[in-house]
Amino acid sequence: MNAIPERRADVNFYDVEAIRRDFPILSRTVHGKPLVFLDSAASAQKPQAVIDAVTSCYAEEYANIHRGVYFLSQLATEKFEGARKKVQRFLNAGEVREIVFTRSATEAINLVAASYGRKFLKRGDEVLLSEIEHHSNIVPWQMLRDEIGIELKVAPVDERGALRMDRFRALLTERTKLVAVTQMSNALGTVLPVVEMARLAHEAGARVLIDGCQAVPHMPVDVRAIDADFYVFSGHKLYGPSGIGVLYGKAELLEAMPPYQGGGDMIVSVSFEKSDYAPIPHKFEAGTPHIAGAIGLGAAIDYVTAIGLHRISNHEHALTTYATERLMGIDGVTLVGTAPGKGSILSFTVEGVHPHDVGTILDHHGIAVRAGHHCAQPVMDRFQVPATVRASLGMYNTEGEVDALAAALRKVREIFA
Amino acid sequence: MSELRDLYQEVILDHAKRPRNFGRPERFDHEAHGHNPLCGDKVDIFVILGEGGTVEDVRFEGRGCAISMASASLMTELLKGKTETEARTLFEHFHEMVTHEAGGDALPDAAPDDLERLEVLAGVRQFPMRVKCATLPWHTFNAALASERADGVTTE
Ligand SMILES: Cc1ncc(COP(=O)(O)O)c(C=O)c1O
């Protein structure tokens, strides 16, 4: 990492081997083989910088935040709030108070559904989703539907996994009050045209929530350019710790929303008659948060921005193209999801072999992939497969690892021949 | 790699590719649906009981990984003619076999031939994530026996 800032000017410079050295886990072996980690879409590995930030939080700078008058508490508070500032800049949010720390993207979506949804949506209002949402952007809306009687609409994708924009437009009506969609599909890699979708949604009078879980590790994100009303992501997919997530919300919306949970830290005064809520974002952060997690996320953001999201994106696109060619060259391997401009996720099936058997065999070659429905069962139904194998590429993956995958897949074919 | 060969033995691959007793029978006494949400394996078990509650026939339908399909196929072969108690004992042995290195000593005796045939699945022991694949059909069989008699089926 040290060498990179000096070469910042050169957009083509990408020293993947140096990056790999920053991730200690990548030098371990699995079943006697070098680890080939191709499951970053589920959760990414952590660079030393993140591990160090978490360690030093606990070893040197830990105390509860926002409470103590003593030095350490003040220090921890500064670090925690400093991490919020980093998230703000990372997303290009207008104000730091628009950044709410949550446990995860899942909690962030649940927060919006429970707080914004219960207050501002009513019976008969429609929430428009896409067919390729993660369960975490489906179930909270179904729970709200069952509770208050909103309706859910689903914009389908075509056979390559690209969103049917014609259908999206058609489903967007004056009844649509919220469009909640992923920026990039975790099951297929499809990248949705969220800028245009948000524009259309706003024209129709709807608010927009973007699930940025898979987008933030792979491309520069600007919530103001998207004009997202809400934007959520999880720290652990961005090379940061798990247990920390982010909700970005436009200040005027967050201010109008009721609290999500009650407790300490989210109030200014409490008596048994009445409590006065703290200003945003603290209104939504009841209880002691994941302090070290937020600080670790700040370190992860520093790490990826020092390397540069553009560079990471270029590297991953080149690698995805390479991997696509390699996989398509293997007899019996079929890619599921080939939308133009898709991100670094390769979902595929192997003829005559169940994805779980593929996963087990690859594991024995040291290759970690996901096999299953990827928490996106509607996607599996759409493509009429019970499950797929998914190789997802991150900033540290190499062509050599793709070759290892291809070689192991040929072995799978041999075993099941 | 040898562990891998232990798991994907010829017998298993053969049962997975050409499952025995596959398909829904026209009449049956009990059925149950088994599902492993983690991997999406699905299996339906159909049981026809004969004299004195012995398993006259057992068939299955479903889709899933090689391990679950082979386990279901083998199971249907072994359970035919067993009493309910014998079937449960065999499952206990099998469960022991796929979860522990040595074992089954404390269990009631089961036919050595049956145990030997099940031995081909013992390799899943090395793959804790896959144990459920192997045991799903058996759990589903138990659930089928425990279920109400299927509707519209005449019995004596
Ligand atoms: C697109 C997408 N949305 C939401 C989530 C949920 O993230 P988390 O489990 O961290 O809340 C994931 C994680 O798999 C995802 O890929």
Side-chain angles (χ1 to χ4, degrees):
Chain A
M1 202 197 139
N2 293 336
I4 285 159
E6 295 156 30
R7 308 224 201 163
R8 212 170 264 186
D10 178 3
V11 284
N12 294 319
F13 180 76
Y14 196 84
D15 186 349
V16 70
E17 288 308 326
I19 288 168
R20 290 179 69 78
R21 284 193 292 276
D22 291 336
F23 291 76
I25 204 169
L26 297 181
S27 58
R28 69 158 290 166
T29 57
V30 168
H31 299 302
K33 299 281 167 71
L35 168 65
V36 174
F37 189 75
L38 303 178
D39 196 22
S40 297
S43 201
Q45 299 298 349
K46 318 305 173 200
Q48 191 64 47
V50 168
I51 299 167
D52 288 347
V54 172
T55 306
S56 99
C57 166
Y58 287 129
E60 290 155 35
E61 295 170 335
Y62 186 77
N64 209 335
I65 54 166
H66 299 146
R67 312 182 183 199
V69 293
Y70 52 91
F71 172 76
L72 268 188
S73 173
Q74 195 185 326
L75 189 59
T77 305
E78 275 168 22
K79 293 274 172 170
F80 182 81
E81 291 303 326
R84 196 191 305 277
K85 187 86 196 152
K86 289 176 185 180
V87 175
Q88 179 211 344
R89 278 197 228 107
F90 180 65
L91 295 179
N92 195 30
E95 298 178 62
V96 72
R97 65 193 182 114
E98 295 179 315
I99 305 300
V100 178
F101 280 123
T102 63
R103 199 157 54 78
S104 58
T106 299
E107 189 180 49
I109 297 171
N110 276 276
L111 189 163
V112 175
S115 169
Y116 180 84
R118 283 206 196 110
K119 174 145 182 196
F120 292 102
L121 301 182
K122 52 182 195 315
R123 178 169 298 280
D125 285 351
E126 291 178 5
V127 173
L128 178 53
L129 311 173
S130 88
E131 197 177 11
I132 50 178
E133 295 310 312
H134 188 276
H135 293 167
S136 63
N137 195 29
I138 301 175
V139 184
W141 306 113
Q142 289 174 332
M143 288 164 62
L144 190 65
R145 175 193 65 195
D146 297 345
E147 186 184 326
I148 67 170
I150 57 165
E151 295 197 16
L152 302 188
K153 298 284 166 184
V154 182
V157 293
D158 65 19
E159 63 290 341
R160 298 182 69 183
L163 188 74
R164 292 273 309 269
M165 278 304 277
D166 55 331
R167 299 293 302 280
F168 176 75
R169 279 171 203 270
L171 285 163
L172 203 53
T173 69
E174 73 285 352
R175 289 185 302 280
T176 314
K177 292 297 182 285
L178 181 73
V179 171
V181 290
T182 190
Q183 188 170 0
M184 174 169 149
S185 155
N186 68 306
L188 304 175
T190 305
V191 175
L192 298 189
V194 289
V195 175
E196 194 192 347
M197 293 168 78
R199 186 179 57 77
L200 292 168
H202 287 144
E203 277 171 22
R207 296 289 182 183
V208 175
L209 177 145
I210 307 290
D211 172 358
C213 274
Q214 297 295 340
V216 290
H218 304 299
M219 61 187 87
V221 166
D222 180 334
V223 290
R224 282 188 286 177
I226 297 170
D227 197 15
D229 296 296
F230 300 105
Y231 192 97
V232 308
F233 72 90
S234 281
H236 66 97
K237 296 180 201 272
L238 184 62
Y239 309 100
S242 63
I244 188 79
V246 168
L247 164 66
Y248 157 82
K250 284 182 183 163
E252 85 237 34
L253 291 174
L254 293 179
E255 278 181 332
M257 284 158 56
Y260 171 54
Q261 293 177 329
D265 248 0
M266 53 76 73
I267 34 74
V268 278
S269 72
V270 176
S271 70
F272 280 105
E273 284 69 47
K274 164 173 194 310
S275 298
D276 289 320
Y277 302 132
I280 63 167
H282 306 291
K283 181 169 75 175
F284 297 106
E285 294 179 359
T288 302
H290 186 6
I291 301 165
I295 291 168
L297 172 58
I301 288 175
D302 286 344
Y303 182 78
V304 293
T305 44
I307 288 167
L309 263 305
H310 283 291
R311 276 201 201 83
I312 293 172
S313 171
N314 287 344
H315 168 74
E316 290 174 348
H317 267 111
L319 197 55
T320 305
T321 306
Y322 179 74
T324 304
E325 280 165 15
R326 292 301 312 257
L327 293 194
M328 296 213 306
I330 303 171
D331 219 26
V333 170
T334 306
L335 286 174
V336 180
T338 52
K342 71 174 226 173
S344 56
I345 283 176
L346 296 112
S347 238
F348 57 93
T349 56
V350 181
E351 193 187 342
V353 192
H354 192 276
H356 269 230
D357 296 315
V358 178
T360 293
I361 296 170
L362 293 185
D363 180 45
H364 262 248
H365 289 80
I367 304 172
V369 293
R370 180 99 180 258
H373 55 58
H374 320 300
C375 296
Q377 281 178 1
V379 176
M380 300 297 116
D381 294 344
R382 164 67 178 82
F383 290 92
Q384 296 183 340
V385 289
T388 66
V389 184
R390 180 186 72 185
S392 54
L393 307 170
M395 65 188 294
Y396 36 56
N397 291 120
T398 65
E399 290 192 356
E401 290 179 307
V402 170
D403 293 342
L405 171 67
L409 284 172
R410 290 185 202 281
K411 278 275 182 326
V412 170
R413 295 279 294 167
E414 272 169 35
I415 291 176
F416 277 80
Chain B
M1 249 0 83
S2 79
E3 282 175 357
L4 207 53
R5 236 168 267 130
D6 285 349
L7 185 66
Y8 293 107
Q9 296 185 34
E10 278 309 318
V11 184
I12 295 195
L13 295 174
D14 178 56
H15 272 272
K17 277 184 222 155
R18 301 185 306 114
R20 327 292 198 263
N21 303 306
F22 192 88
R24 188 189 181 89
E26 266 173 29
R27 70 165 200 101
F28 50 84
D29 300 311
H30 294 278
E31 74 168 309
H33 176 68
H35 181 207
N36 181 351
L38 193 69
C39 56
D41 287 349
K42 285 181 180 156
V43 62
D44 288 302
I45 304 282
F46 310 96
V47 186
I48 299 170
L49 293 179
E51 290 291 308
T54 55
V55 177
E56 186 182 304
D57 198 6
V58 49
R59 300 181 63 81
F60 82 105
E61 251 183 356
R63 61 179 187 179
C65 64
I67 307 302
S68 65
M69 291 298 106
S71 178
S73 173
L74 264 168
M75 179 189 80
T76 57
E77 289 197 328
L78 294 179
L79 289 183
K80 245 178 250 188
K82 295 270 183 305
T83 66
E84 211 175 300
T85 317
E86 286 167 341
R88 280 190 213 286
T89 305
L90 194 55
F91 180 25
E92 283 174 44
H93 279 275
F94 178 59
H95 198 269
E96 206 44 42
M97 184 190 289
V98 294
T99 49
H100 295 99
E101 273 305 326
D105 295 345
L107 298 172
D109 284 347
D113 287 358
D114 292 347
L115 293 180
E116 204 175 303
R117 293 204 56 201
L118 286 172
E119 199 56 52
V120 293
L121 278 160
V124 295
R125 229 179 2 234
Q126 311 295 340
F127 301 82
M129 307 287 286
R130 307 300 302 275
V131 170
K132 284 211 168 77
C133 307
T135 55
L136 177 70
W138 291 83
H139 282 295
T140 312
F141 172 79
N142 273 355
L145 283 190
S147 70
E148 294 271 305
R149 287 212 148 204
D151 279 348
V153 178
T154 49
T155 48
E156 75 275 36

